[in-house]
Amino acid sequence: MHFFRMGLLSVFCVCLFFSSAFAVDRGNFKTCDQSSFCKRQRALKPGQSPYRALLETLELSDSRLTLQLINDNNKVHLLLELYRLQGNMTRVKINELKPLKPRFEVPDVLIAEPPTEPLSVLSKDDNGIVLSLGAESQRLIVSARPFRLDIMEGPEVLLSLNSRGLLAFEHLHLQGDKEQDGLWEETFKSHTDTKPNGPTSISLDFSLPGVEHVYGIPEHADDLKLKTTDGGDPYRLYNLDVFQYELYNPMALYGSIPVMLAHNTQRTMGIFWLNAAETWVDISSNTAGKTVFGKMLDFVQGSSEKPQTDIRWISESGIIDVFIMLGPKPSDVFSQYASLTGTQSFPPLASLGYHQCRWNYNDQEDVKSVDQGFDQHDIPYDFIWLDIEHADGKRYFTWDPHKFSQPKEMLQGLMDKRRKMVAIVDPHIKVDSGYKIHSEITSKDFYVKNKDGRNYEGWCWPGNSGYPDFTIPEMRAWWASMFAYDQYEGSMENLFTWNDMNEPSVFNGPEVTMHKDALHGKWEHREIHNIYGLYVQMATAEGQIQRSGGVERPFVLTRAFFAGSQRFGAVWTGDNAAEWGHLKISIPMCLSLGLVGVSFCGADIGGFFKNPSTELLVRWYQTGAYQPFFRAHAHLDTTRREPWLFGPENTALIREVIRQRYALLPYWYQLFFQAYRTGMPFLVKKKKITFIMYSVFCCLGSDLLVHPITEEGSRGVTAYLPGAGEVWYDVHTFQKHNGAQNLYIPVTLSSIPVFQRGGSIIPRKDRVRRSSACMENDPYTLYVALSPKKFARGKLYIDDGHSFNYDTKKEFIHRSLTFANNALTSSNLCPDCNFLTSSWIEKVLILGASKPSKVVLKMDGKETPVDFEFDSSMSVLTLRKPGMNAGDDWTLLLQ
């Protein structure tokens, strides 16, 4: 939802709505030139670094090296700290040696203080120091004049810091008489930022020899591969409520994850810039602008120019605290980042089903009617959602006394069908002395303050609103306690939460957000802005856990996010539009988030704004069904678009793809379990990983490749099937195709090209019911897709689907499924785990098989014949009702 709903608040706001109804008003948001620190930093020229390392100040302990730097222009001393971290990472921190007051360092993002390994000095002279990084002849070279860091492996430079001389650290100082505009006060439109601490920005450049492709730093509505920023604005990281955002530009959006990945055929590395202030990222490349022909010419002529990408990070305040993740494989970088900020939370199984939402379902009868509509049209779903109109005057944690007078009755009706609800709880609180939440926050002094020390107030959905200070641990604990069943009246165990507007959105604030000189205790909002949303989701998730006595997993959707948000739930791509471009961009937006730890991502099916054509809506369902978070959502002013409102033919198409999603829930659940355990994203193979350059298809784990149709009127698409020597099977027809080819696929409106990799085993539940919980004890079908060498493997994960017992009591089943030497075997991956399931294996399909003379089940020391059918035209062997329990050891022998 967006601030242009503020048309509901006042005539002034209505005027804003109609003047800007069809696109983002870019004038509401700063460019680099309008952000004084970005403009100052960008004006610095490369190659003129004033910083020098004072080698005589070097101190080396078991865990770190410290060294002073001096700015020869102003004689200010900085303190450099170097850490060699376990897992092939290096941490670099730069702060003022003696600041006038402490500078902000980001808390609560790292899951723990990263463990270190000893550094050792290999050599030292007047020009610098050479340090050993331990692994594979890796060395860190500190050059003294000008200061520079190089990380090398053998003769190769992997990465350099300050090689272009763009380190800049604006030190805290007292205001002088003649200082340039923007240093101590800055005005944007009608808002003045007082900047009581003066200029405090920081900058550092990184050079990546041999690298052409960089990825990450979401959230931007752009391609997966980041573009160079020469001649335009840098990529901006500053959580903002952006209305109907534009595509393919570097403007800031709702979330910020300051992590960049660099990839070439030899190595993948990552840079994690731990800073929560407004940040801009410049990217330049010596191959930028070269055509494909130009690159081929370089190759033919033997050009000696080595590709190089240069990155520059610029933040408004804080310190330089950067983690360099040295890979070398993509999977290593994912593990390294997960070791710092945690893995994707393991969600309840139901949250991987289909979610039905709009702003707003009108009342309890409307909810009941929509719920019945799904049953009448035989379409499964798990969650129905309520937006802001469900609350009493947009007072969160309450219910409208007329429209939702019996919330428990409504929730019980859903529970009887084993379904659930999500209600929105936003972090702006109506200023109303009769409202319990406001009164308690006021009495506990938990609101953010303005620069004068009074409670900060701004306009949002309820009108005049206060903003809880989620940086205060006691405030987060109190917020969590409000989700208790005796505090959140009308709530039940099947009610979950949506945190929207948590950038935070302030309708009458600068750039539609909070003033930077607002106060969180002793820290200005400018220091913590990008972690505000993370704190909101953190506290909400903790509330859901606490209300169950620590037993049940939470489900919380957030719009704003930061590094580490993956630990607390799901995100979505915000207020998109019913346009083909927005459908297409949802793919690289979620892929980009997956690369930096946030796997639980989706986009509003159909587009939030405007009304989709029937074709666009169907195609969006077909795409969304293969993205991790699967929710339809729509704006208040759009026409209703429940799946059955577009004629029986389109209802059937939507029903079919939602049912495909439900059949694949066992596979999705296994992927989430692996992401939780390892930090691996869904979109890439576990071993040989290919980064997707053009962002038009996605891999789900290692075994499914999906090519959504994102072009209007498409009659055919060309899908690239990777892997020389591999085969891929069309999951709908079982047709086999060779890898390492561009395959042209004719399509109709019913088509969504999906391929299963030869060499994989995917468990499905093909008996689809009204919700995922209704399918809990249903049997499995195993889809065994054989490689050219007649081999396949996969996994099956089962638990209760909702509690933490998998973690606290090891109550889960984890099976390894392997086909080799004409035998399909299930073996236990967790012998000390304890969980029982009623589900059994009712069917096995083996793709690429030969016809056996007989099939025998070996189990519990007995051999039992199994009925089978063989389709010689497609080489598909079907084993019917072998009957073994999904948690048991067994072998199926093809003889």
Side-chain angles (χ1 to χ4, degrees):
M1 289 183 296
H2 186 267
F3 82 95
F4 284 94
R5 289 181 182 170
M6 67 192 278
L8 301 172
L9 299 176
S10 67
V11 174
F12 167 72
C13 298
V14 167
C15 294
L16 275 180
F17 175 87
F18 284 111
S19 68
S20 305
F22 297 108
V24 63
D25 181 356
R26 298 188 69 162
N28 283 327
F29 306 103
K30 289 182 179 181
T31 64
C32 179
D33 274 350
Q34 293 169 317
S35 179
S36 66
F37 80 90
C38 183
K39 184 177 182 180
R40 282 196 309 278
Q41 292 279 12
R42 236 186 171 195
L44 297 178
K45 302 301 180 186
Q48 301 175 9
S49 178
Y51 291 95
R52 174 166 52 92
L54 301 176
L55 300 181
E56 66 276 11
T57 65
L58 182 145
E59 294 183 12
L60 184 63
S61 69
D62 286 343
S63 62
R64 68 171 184 167
L65 176 147
T66 62
L67 185 67
Q68 290 183 33
L69 310 178
I70 187 171
N71 182 328
D72 281 329
N73 291 344
N74 59 22
K75 307 308 179 187
V76 171
H77 286 239
L78 304 179
L79 180 66
L80 167 73
E81 300 175 66
L82 295 176
Y83 301 83
R84 176 186 163 203
L85 303 182
Q86 288 182 14
N88 203 20
M89 294 181 286
T90 299
R91 185 180 192 179
V92 179
K93 295 179 74 172
I94 303 176
N95 197 355
E96 293 184 53
L97 180 64
K98 296 180 179 179
L100 286 179
K101 60 175 75 172
R103 296 180 68 117
F104 185 70
E105 299 187 37
V106 179
D108 302 314
V109 168
L110 302 179
I111 55 175
E113 194 62 25
T116 60
E117 295 182 338
L119 282 164
S120 59
V121 175
L122 297 177
S123 64
K124 178 182 177 183
D125 59 25
D126 292 344
N127 298 315
I129 310 162
V130 180
L131 302 162
S132 171
L133 291 178
E136 297 181 9
S137 69
Q138 285 182 357
R139 303 182 310 287
L140 192 155
I141 300 172
V142 183
S143 300
R145 186 192 293 267
F147 164 69
R148 167 177 171 151
L149 293 178
D150 293 280
I151 296 178
M152 302 188 68
E153 186 170 278
E156 297 290 322
V157 177
L158 302 181
L159 176 143
S160 301
L161 286 72
N162 202 38
S163 60
R164 297 162 66 218
L166 294 173
L167 166 64
F169 207 104
E170 293 183 330
H171 64 285
L172 293 163
H173 62 279
L174 301 176
Q175 186 171 3
D177 294 332
K178 296 181 180 180
E179 297 201 43
Q180 67 188 73
D181 291 342
L183 293 179
W184 291 85
E185 186 173 279
E186 181 175 355
T187 299
F188 178 67
K189 303 187 80 169
S190 61
H191 301 283
T192 298
D193 176 10
T194 57
K195 296 190 179 182
N197 293 318
T200 57
S201 70
I202 56 175
S203 166
L204 184 60
D205 65 275
F206 299 77
S207 294
L208 300 161
V211 169
E212 278 191 86
H213 306 299
V214 289
Y215 308 86
I217 58 170
E219 182 178 35
H220 301 97
D222 210 342
D223 288 326
L224 184 65
K225 178 181 177 291
L226 297 171
K227 300 179 176 71
T228 58
T229 57
D230 301 327
D233 260 10
Y235 284 94
R236 191 183 189 199
L237 296 173
Y238 190 59
N239 295 359
L240 292 172
D241 182 355
V242 181
F243 165 74
Q244 199 170 320
Y245 47 83
E246 291 183 8
L247 309 184
Y248 305 108
N249 73 49
M251 286 179 66
L253 289 179
Y254 311 98
S256 301
I257 300 183
V259 177
M260 183 179 290
L261 274 63
H263 178 70
N264 61 26
T265 55
Q266 286 77 42
R267 179 179 291 269
T268 302
M269 296 183 292
I271 299 170
F272 173 26
W273 178 266
L274 182 51
N275 190 294
E278 179 185 348
T279 296
W280 299 78
V281 185
D282 258 324
I283 302 170
S284 59
S285 169
N286 63 358
T287 59
K290 284 192 177 181
T291 63
V292 173
F293 176 76
K295 292 181 181 180
M296 288 176 62
L297 196 63
D298 284 349
F299 178 76
V300 171
Q301 295 177 347
S303 171
S304 61
E305 184 179 31
K306 186 177 183 178
Q308 178 168 308
T309 297
D310 296 314
I311 312 298
R312 187 184 183 197
W313 299 78
I314 304 169
S315 291
E316 184 175 15
S317 56
I319 70 165
I320 292 172
D321 189 0
V322 61
F323 296 83
I324 299 163
M325 300 169 285
L326 293 171
K329 300 188 299 293
S331 56
D332 295 325
V333 175
F334 300 140
S335 297
Q336 288 157 0
Y337 180 63
S339 75
L340 298 172
T341 67
T343 60
Q344 175 67 56
S345 62
F346 190 33
L349 174 60
S351 66
L352 307 185
Y354 174 62
H355 301 251
Q356 182 66 36
C357 183
R358 76 173 278 110
W359 175 32
N360 203 90
Y361 286 118
N362 299 322
D363 50 31
Q364 285 182 220
E365 280 303 310
D366 197 8
V367 169
K368 185 176 181 180
S369 174
V370 172
D371 175 70
Q372 291 174 341
F374 278 90
D375 293 335
Q376 290 164 3
H377 295 90
D378 194 24
I379 301 173
Y381 89 96
D382 268 270
F383 283 83
I384 190 166
W385 291 51
L386 295 180
D387 212 320
I388 56 176
E389 311 300 334
H390 84 277
D392 182 9
K394 302 176 181 66
R395 297 170 180 86
Y396 306 110
F397 299 99
T398 71
W399 304 86
D400 185 292
H402 306 293
K403 296 179 179 179
F404 294 92
S405 59
Q406 302 294 327
K408 285 194 173 182
E409 178 184 297
M410 174 179 62
L411 288 165
Q412 187 61 53
L414 294 171
M415 189 178 290
D416 291 344
K417 295 184 178 182
R418 305 188 75 178
R419 288 172 174 155
K420 299 171 174 60
M421 174 173 277
V422 169
I424 201 166
V425 177
D426 286 349
H428 48 260
I429 303 301
K430 184 177 180 65
V431 176
D432 174 2
S433 59
Y435 175 28
K436 180 186 79 168
I437 299 294
H438 168 69
S439 297
E440 290 201 26
I441 295 175
T442 302
S443 68
K444 295 175 184 297
D445 200 26
F446 282 162
Y447 275 126
V448 176
K449 307 302 179 188
N450 64 23
K451 62 182 180 180
D452 301 319
R454 299 187 303 274
N455 286 345
Y456 178 91
E457 294 180 0
W459 277 78
C460 211
W461 297 132
N464 197 35
S465 302
Y467 290 78
D469 188 351
F470 285 89
T471 68
I472 302 171
E474 294 79 8
M475 165 60 212
R476 296 198 299 273
W478 175 85
W479 180 267
S481 75
M482 290 299 99
F483 289 90
Y485 298 123
D486 61 351
Q487 294 292 331
Y488 190 168
E489 293 185 15
S491 67
M492 292 174 59
E493 57 266 33
N494 63 333
L495 180 67
F496 296 83
T497 312
W498 172 16
N499 293 148
D500 197 3
M501 317 298 287
N502 54 337
E503 292 75 26
S505 180
V506 182
F507 294 163
N508 59 342
E511 300 193 89
V512 202
T513 194
M514 188 172 284
H515 292 72
K516 287 181 175 179
D517 55 8
L519 294 173
H520 302 260
K522 66 179 181 180
W523 301 110
E524 288 187 284
H525 183 71
R526 83 181 72 249
E527 308 279 4
I528 66 94
H529 176 84
N530 284 345
I531 53 171
Y532 187 86
L534 175 145
Y535 277 133
V536 176
Q537 189 186 24
M538 175 194 291
T540 302
E542 183 58 33
Q544 286 188 13
I545 294 169
Q546 287 181 9
R547 73 180 184 180
S548 69
V551 172
E552 297 295 322
R553 288 176 243 170
F555 172 70
V556 183
L557 179 73
T558 182
R559 190 170 71 177
F561 51 83
F562 190 69
S565 287
Q566 69 270 14
R567 304 197 300 267
F568 308 112
V571 306
W572 91 108
T573 61
D575 296 345
N576 58 2
E579 298 171 359
W580 288 92
H582 278 263
L583 166 59
K584 189 172 186 176
I585 206 73
S586 71
I587 300 169
M589 288 181 76
C590 279
L591 293 178
S592 182
L593 280 160
L595 288 176
V596 295
V598 180
S599 291
F600 206 177
C601 169
D604 288 344
I605 305 297
F608 179 66
F609 290 107
K610 304 183 181 180
N611 295 301
S613 67
T614 301
E615 181 190 5
L616 175 58
L617 184 65
V618 170
R619 291 301 192 201
W620 215 316
Y621 269 100
Q622 292 170 342
T623 302
Y626 290 91
Q627 291 180 330
F629 177 56
F630 184 27
R631 182 185 76 153
H633 185 38
H635 187 278
L636 185 72
D637 294 333
T638 61
T639 56
R640 293 289 285 254
R641 58 169 91 141
E642 283 72 44
W644 52 86
L645 297 179
F646 299 86
E649 290 184 3
N650 294 303
T651 299
L653 294 174
I654 295 171
R655 177 193 300 117
E656 171 58 26
V657 77
I658 294 177
R659 290 174 69 87
Q660 287 179 30
R661 170 63 169 232
Y662 274 78
L664 279 169
L665 283 180
Y667 181 65
W668 279 106
Y669 204 42
Q670 160 68 22
L671 289 179
F672 267 95
F673 182 68
Q674 286 301 113
Y676 161 73
R677 291 273 290 260
T678 67
M680 280 291 297
F682 300 159
L683 71 161
V684 288
K685 290 188 179 182
K686 300 289 189 293
K687 292 182 179 177
K688 185 179 178 183
I689 300 180
T690 302
F691 278 68
I692 300 157
M693 296 300 173
Y694 301 107
S695 308
V696 293
F697 66 89
C698 50
C699 294
L700 300 181
S702 60
D703 299 336
L704 281 183
L705 185 146
V706 187
H707 193 302
I709 313 299
T710 59
E711 300 290 341
E712 185 175 12
S714 179
R715 296 184 178 180
V717 295
T718 299
Y720 179 70
L721 304 180
E726 294 197 31
V727 294
W728 294 84
Y729 297 85
D730 185 311
V731 301
H732 307 298
T733 67
F734 304 142
Q735 179 73 42
K736 182 167 69 173
H737 303 279
N738 291 325
Q741 69 157 317
N742 288 301
L743 178 68
Y744 180 77
I745 308 160
V747 298
T748 65
L749 190 54
S750 65
S751 306
I752 176 166
V754 183
F755 301 91
Q756 182 174 344
R757 183 180 60 83
S760 67
I761 301 174
I762 291 181
R764 294 170 47 133
K765 286 194 172 184
D766 287 336
R767 298 188 191 183
V768 175
R769 304 185 190 274
R770 63 168 44 145
S771 73
S772 62
C774 293
M775 298 164 61
E776 178 182 3
N777 296 317
D778 281 348
Y780 291 91
T781 296
L782 303 181
Y783 287 74
V784 181
L786 297 184
S787 72
K789 295 182 179 180
K790 304 300 181 183
F791 175 84
R793 66 158 52 106
K795 293 178 181 176
L796 174 62
Y797 176 85
I798 308 171
D799 63 15
D800 64 19
H802 57 84
S803 79
F804 284 109
N805 289 353
Y806 71 91
D807 183 46
T808 58
K809 300 180 180 180
K810 300 197 79 169
E811 291 183 358
F812 65 88
I813 292 167
H814 203 197
R815 309 293 302 180
S816 173
L817 305 170
T818 305
F819 186 96
N821 302 317
N822 283 324
L824 176 62
T825 301
S826 174
S827 56
N828 197 351
L829 288 171
C830 187
D832 58 339
C833 290
N834 178 32
F835 187 74
L836 299 177
T837 180
S838 299
S839 295
W840 52 287
I841 310 299
E842 77 168 338
K843 189 188 297 185
V844 178
L845 277 79
I846 303 177
L847 315 182
S850 302
K851 184 178 181 179
S853 58
K854 65 177 180 178
V855 178
V856 174
L857 171 64
K858 290 184 64 175
M859 185 174 172
D860 297 329
K862 300 177 182 177
E863 294 192 3
T864 309
V866 176
D867 292 337
F868 67 89
E869 296 174 1
F870 183 70
D871 181 345
S872 59
S873 66
M874 300 302 295
S875 298
V876 176
L877 177 66
T878 302
L879 314 182
R880 299 193 179 279
K881 297 185 178 179
M884 50 281 195
N885 184 278
D888 286 345
D889 292 339
W890 48 263
T891 298
L892 284 165
L893 295 172
L894 278 57
Q895 298 176 341

